[in-house]
Amino acid sequence: MNGTSGATPEYATSAAVAGLAREIEGLRRAVDAAAGLRPRVEDLAAVVADLADAVEQVTAMPDAAGPVCWLDFADTPTEAFAVLGKLSAWLSGIYLRYTDAALPDCWLWHPDVVEELLWLSQAWQAAYAGPRACISLVADWHDRQRPGVTRRLTGLARSCSVENHQSGQPQHAAAPAAPMTDALDAIAGWWANHRSQPAPAPTAEQLTAAAIPRGRR
């Protein structure tokens, strides 16, 4: 008798078991393949998380107060003293704990050095205790920011001292000023209206001033 209706119960049961076994084998292979993908999925999740942190850092609005800039500091001497006191404590507690830390004895006499150390301390604070503190900021501070400041201060620490800031010494000088400011008007007019033409020639007075060493002007 043809057709499945004539199959014996034993044959039908064997066929069903064989079919189920094939399905189980297919599921096992799918599970094995998925298990192999798990590390890649986890790596991808970590990359996405890092990208999310980076995007947040780039697009986030800065804090209301904003970073403190020593070179553009405009508060009272009392506020300046507070900033320097806090920075000095951070230098002793954090920065100078690193064996390669460079710091000239005359660091307070160098506004650019104070600025370097001040932003570095603020970056440290943001990485460890700020509202967006995270391990990626900490890693960046250790890997890029601190070594960069240390590298720039190393040469100065070897070449300068408090004695160089005494009266009559090279470091005892007025703050530098941008040169040739008497040419602002001529250059502004040229750039705004005639930039396709040659720039105005320097005046005799400007040429004379340029011949004088900058420290003696």
Side-chain angles (χ1 to χ4, degrees), residues 152-172:
R152 288 189 289 275
L153 296 190
T154 296
L156 182 62
R158 293 172 180 168
S159 63
C160 198
S161 65
V162 174
E163 289 75 17
N164 289 342
H165 295 267
Q166 298 178 92
S167 178
Q169 295 300 314
Q171 292 290 349
H172 189 261

Side-chain angles (χ1 to χ4, degrees), residues 89-102 141 146:
W90 180 83
L91 291 174
S92 298
I94 303 297
Y95 179 76
L96 292 175
R97 295 287 183 172
Y98 292 86
T99 55
D100 64 338
W141 191 88
R146 189 194 70 84

Side-chain angles (χ1 to χ4, degrees), residues 12-195:
T13 300
S14 298
V17 170
L20 182 60
R22 287 192 296 272
E23 291 183 12
I24 292 175
E25 178 63 17
L27 289 173
R28 185 188 67 78
R29 292 177 180 176
V31 169
D32 289 344
L37 290 174
R38 180 174 299 173
R40 296 177 62 185
V41 172
E42 291 176 351
D43 291 343
L44 181 61
V47 171
V48 171
D50 289 342
L51 287 174
D53 287 342
V55 170
E56 182 180 1
Q57 294 166 25
V58 171
T59 59
M61 294 296 292
D63 296 336
V68 177
C69 175
W70 186 250
L71 297 178
D72 193 36
F73 197 81
D75 288 324
T76 65
T78 301
E79 295 292 336
F81 179 84
V83 170
L84 291 176
K86 185 176 180 180
L87 176 59
S88 178
W90 180 83
L91 291 174
S92 298
I94 303 297
Y95 179 76
L96 292 175
R97 295 287 183 172
Y98 292 86
T99 55
D100 64 338
L103 186 68
D105 291 338
C106 53
W107 68 277
L108 282 169
W109 278 261
H110 293 270
D112 54 338
V113 172
V114 175
E115 175 67 10
E116 288 265 23
L117 296 169
L118 187 57
W119 78 253
L120 185 65
S121 70
Q122 292 174 97
W124 180 90
Q125 181 69 23
Y128 280 94
R132 301 177 187 89
C134 62
I135 194 63
S136 61
L137 288 179
V138 172
D140 190 49
W141 191 88
H142 281 86
D143 188 57
R144 184 175 61 86
Q145 296 172 343
R146 189 194 70 84
V149 170
T150 298
R151 183 175 61 254
R152 288 189 289 275
L153 296 190
T154 296
L156 182 62
R158 293 172 180 168
S159 63
C160 198
S161 65
V162 174
E163 289 75 17
N164 289 342
H165 295 267
Q166 298 178 92
S167 178
Q169 295 300 314
Q171 292 290 349
H172 189 261
M180 302 297 165
T181 53
D182 57 335
L184 289 176
D185 184 63
I187 295 298
W190 161 69
W191 189 252
N193 301 316
H194 309 290
R195 70 179 70 177

